[in-house]
Amino acid sequence: MRKHFLLKTALSIFLFMVVIASVSQAQSLYKRIGGYDAIAAVTDDFIGRLVTDPSLAKFFGGHGGDSQKKIRMHVINMVCEATGGPCNYTGRDMKTTHKGLAISEADWNTAVGHFKATLKKFNVPAKESDELVAIVGSVKKDIVEK
């Protein structure tokens, strides 16, 4: 009888540990990258790189301070929502937003390079970095014009 009790107790402890490990593995990308403040910091750095890159600055010309803040908030909310966070992106779809800007494959690659450099600057782990780059990549077809 005592053996069965010990065996059941050991099995229960093992199952509890498996459940705890599963829960921590299932943690959202949002939480794994540090949440809202981390997304905001990455967004600020990334947008700063884009607007100061001479080959991309043309896409940001003519935006006043209010428009720049709105763009920033849209990016933060989009990334927050896409990574499983509590935010709600309310902006236009990517195709409408970027229509007519003539963003080329080269422009896209430059922007992705800046995004990867930003992630590296903030020491985002490889797994999370790859997931973020995949999220960004999922909208490429709506942004790059042929």
Side-chain angles (χ1 to χ4, degrees), residues 22 28 35 39-40 43-44 57 59-60 71 94 104 110 119 127 142:
S22 296
S28 70
I39 291 170
T43 298
D44 289 342
F59 300 115
F60 299 95
I71 291 168
M94 293 296 98
S104 69
T110 300
L119 296 176
K127 180 180 187 294
D142 296 328

Short mmCIF file of all heavy atoms in Angstrom, two decimals, residues 22 28 35 39-40 43-44 57 59-60 71 94 104 110 119 127 142:
data_model
loop_
_atom_site.label_atom_id
_atom_site.label_comp_id
_atom_site.label_asym_id
_atom_site.label_seq_id
_atom_site.Cartn_x
_atom_site.Cartn_y
_atom_site.Cartn_z
N SER A 22 5.21 22.92 -19.64
CA SER A 22 4.40 23.21 -20.82
C SER A 22 3.87 24.62 -20.79
O SER A 22 3.85 25.32 -21.80
CB SER A 22 3.22 22.23 -20.91
OG SER A 22 3.69 20.93 -21.10
N SER A 28 3.46 33.52 -24.35
CA SER A 28 3.36 34.28 -25.59
C SER A 28 4.68 34.96 -25.94
O SER A 28 5.50 35.26 -25.07
CB SER A 28 2.27 35.34 -25.48
OG SER A 28 2.66 36.36 -24.58
N GLY A 35 7.27 42.44 -23.23
CA GLY A 35 6.03 43.20 -23.16
C GLY A 35 6.06 44.54 -23.85
O GLY A 35 6.92 44.83 -24.69
N ILE A 39 8.64 46.44 -26.63
CA ILE A 39 8.18 46.68 -28.00
C ILE A 39 8.31 48.15 -28.35
O ILE A 39 8.74 48.51 -29.45
CB ILE A 39 6.74 46.17 -28.19
CG1 ILE A 39 6.72 44.63 -28.12
CG2 ILE A 39 6.14 46.66 -29.51
CD1 ILE A 39 5.33 44.04 -28.05
N ALA A 40 7.95 49.03 -27.43
CA ALA A 40 8.05 50.47 -27.68
C ALA A 40 9.51 50.88 -27.89
O ALA A 40 9.81 51.67 -28.81
CB ALA A 40 7.44 51.25 -26.52
N THR A 43 10.61 49.63 -31.29
CA THR A 43 9.95 50.44 -32.32
C THR A 43 10.64 51.79 -32.48
O THR A 43 10.89 52.24 -33.61
CB THR A 43 8.46 50.63 -31.98
OG1 THR A 43 7.83 49.35 -31.96
CG2 THR A 43 7.77 51.51 -33.00
N ASP A 44 10.94 52.44 -31.37
CA ASP A 44 11.60 53.74 -31.44
C ASP A 44 12.95 53.65 -32.14
O ASP A 44 13.27 54.48 -33.00
CB ASP A 44 11.78 54.33 -30.04
CG ASP A 44 10.46 54.78 -29.42
OD1 ASP A 44 9.47 54.96 -30.15
OD2 ASP A 44 10.43 54.93 -28.18
N ALA A 57 14.42 57.52 -46.21
CA ALA A 57 13.86 58.75 -45.65
C ALA A 57 12.74 59.32 -46.51
O ALA A 57 11.81 59.95 -45.98
CB ALA A 57 14.96 59.79 -45.45
N PHE A 59 10.27 57.96 -47.69
CA PHE A 59 8.97 57.41 -47.30
C PHE A 59 8.38 58.10 -46.07
O PHE A 59 7.22 57.90 -45.74
CB PHE A 59 9.05 55.90 -47.06
CG PHE A 59 9.50 55.14 -48.27
CD1 PHE A 59 10.71 54.46 -48.27
CD2 PHE A 59 8.73 55.12 -49.42
CE1 PHE A 59 11.13 53.74 -49.37
CE2 PHE A 59 9.15 54.41 -50.55
CZ PHE A 59 10.35 53.73 -50.53
N PHE A 60 9.20 58.88 -45.39
CA PHE A 60 8.76 59.52 -44.15
C PHE A 60 8.68 61.03 -44.25
O PHE A 60 8.29 61.70 -43.31
CB PHE A 60 9.69 59.11 -43.00
CG PHE A 60 9.68 57.63 -42.77
CD1 PHE A 60 10.64 56.82 -43.36
CD2 PHE A 60 8.69 57.05 -41.99
CE1 PHE A 60 10.62 55.44 -43.16
CE2 PHE A 60 8.66 55.68 -41.80
CZ PHE A 60 9.63 54.87 -42.38
N ILE A 71 2.09 57.05 -36.36
CA ILE A 71 2.78 55.92 -37.01
C ILE A 71 3.43 55.05 -35.94
O ILE A 71 3.30 53.82 -35.96
CB ILE A 71 3.83 56.42 -38.03
CG1 ILE A 71 3.14 57.06 -39.23
CG2 ILE A 71 4.75 55.28 -38.46
CD1 ILE A 71 4.07 57.82 -40.15
N MET A 94 -2.13 46.80 -44.36
CA MET A 94 -0.81 47.16 -44.90
C MET A 94 -0.85 47.51 -46.38
O MET A 94 -0.14 48.40 -46.83
CB MET A 94 0.19 46.01 -44.66
CG MET A 94 0.52 45.78 -43.20
SD MET A 94 1.35 47.19 -42.43
CE MET A 94 -0.01 48.03 -41.63
N SER A 104 10.27 49.09 -53.05
CA SER A 104 10.89 48.03 -53.84
C SER A 104 11.40 46.90 -52.95
O SER A 104 11.46 47.03 -51.73
CB SER A 104 12.06 48.61 -54.64
OG SER A 104 13.12 48.98 -53.75
N THR A 110 16.42 46.53 -47.09
CA THR A 110 17.11 47.51 -46.24
C THR A 110 16.38 47.66 -44.91
O THR A 110 17.00 47.67 -43.84
CB THR A 110 17.20 48.88 -46.97
OG1 THR A 110 17.95 48.71 -48.17
CG2 THR A 110 17.88 49.92 -46.09
N LEU A 119 16.97 44.48 -33.33
CA LEU A 119 16.78 43.31 -32.45
C LEU A 119 18.10 42.88 -31.83
O LEU A 119 18.17 42.53 -30.65
CB LEU A 119 16.14 42.16 -33.22
CG LEU A 119 14.73 42.42 -33.76
CD1 LEU A 119 14.26 41.24 -34.59
CD2 LEU A 119 13.76 42.73 -32.64
N LYS A 127 15.64 32.81 -31.11
CA LYS A 127 14.31 32.22 -31.33
C LYS A 127 13.26 33.32 -31.45
O LYS A 127 12.45 33.32 -32.39
CB LYS A 127 13.95 31.28 -30.18
CG LYS A 127 12.59 30.62 -30.31
CD LYS A 127 12.33 29.70 -29.11
CE LYS A 127 11.09 28.88 -29.23
NZ LYS A 127 9.84 29.59 -29.22
N ASP A 142 2.11 42.67 -49.03
CA ASP A 142 1.21 43.83 -49.03
C ASP A 142 1.95 45.16 -49.05
O ASP A 142 1.31 46.21 -49.22
CB ASP A 142 0.30 43.78 -47.79
CG ASP A 142 -0.63 42.59 -47.81
OD1 ASP A 142 -1.04 42.16 -48.91
OD2 ASP A 142 -0.94 42.07 -46.72
#
